[in-house]
Structures are given as C-alpha cells and as structure tokens.
Amino acid sequence: SYCLDLSEGSGGDERKGVHVDAAEEEEISGSKGTANFVMKWKDSKREASISVTPIKGLTRSIKGDDNEKWVPIMAFECRGCVPTGYRPEGDWEVVSSGGSTFPDV
C-alpha cells in the first residue's frame, strides 16, 4: 500500500494520508472500469481515481548498482487528483545483492 497526499488539482480540496493498494479494485462510477482507489471530493462532489501502474522498461526494483540514483519503482495513473506528497509507511524489506535480508527498514 502507498500512502499519498492528494489535491483536487483545481486549487480546492486536499486529502492527506490516503492509502492506495495495488491489490484492491474499486468500480469507477459511470464507467465499466476499475481503479485501485476511488473517492469523491467533499466540496465539488467530483470523483477521483488512482490506479497503480507499473510501466514496462521504466519502473523496476532498486538494485545494488543504483547507489545514489533515483529509481522509479512505481507509477500511478491519476484522474481527478494530483499527488502532492508520499508518506513511507509500513514494513519495508531490503535484500542485498549478496542475498542478505534486512526486515523492517
């Protein structure tokens, strides 16, 4: 799950600490499509959705030779919202190139 701060994009409403889980699927109103997160903005009643979307050839796991580099590990398709922040939460596990595991990082 990813914890994000969101803005409506038109300078209106904000939501902090929203959880987006790639394993969850929700229906999008008025559509046959689904997303991993769907919500309505309080003031405008507009719907927003986010889909967790790996991008072939771009997003990937971090590797040992990526030291000091930015690596895109995930992408989000956002409709009706703009991510304004990311809050790392939960249990992360690091596996070294030598196979050592470091849980709860």
Side-chain angles (χ1 to χ4, degrees):
S1 153
Y2 300 92
C3 185
L4 305 173
D5 296 338
L6 303 175
S7 170
E8 188 173 8
S10 60
D13 204 359
E14 281 186 318
R15 291 247 181 117
K16 295 191 183 279
V18 170
H19 289 268
V20 179
D21 189 338
E24 292 183 15
E25 292 249 337
E26 299 181 37
E27 291 185 13
I28 299 172
S29 299
S31 169
K32 293 182 181 180
T34 61
N36 301 116
F37 174 80
V38 178
M39 61 164 264
K40 287 199 177 187
W41 292 105
K42 186 171 90 174
D43 295 334
S44 70
K45 307 286 191 252
R46 289 183 49 211
E47 190 169 81
S49 64
I50 300 176
S51 294
V52 178
T53 311
I55 300 173
K56 187 176 181 177
L58 181 63
T59 57
R60 62 179 175 80
S61 297
I62 298 171
K63 299 178 181 167
D65 60 349
D66 289 328
N67 190 28
E68 303 281 330
K69 295 179 187 174
W70 287 97
V71 176
I73 59 172
M74 189 52 60
F76 300 98
E77 180 182 339
C78 304
R79 297 180 184 235
C81 63
V82 176
T84 57
Y86 168 68
R87 299 167 182 239
E89 292 186 339
D91 298 329
W92 290 79
E93 180 178 86
V94 174
V95 179
S96 74
S97 58
S100 298
T101 302
F102 302 93
D104 302 324
V105 176

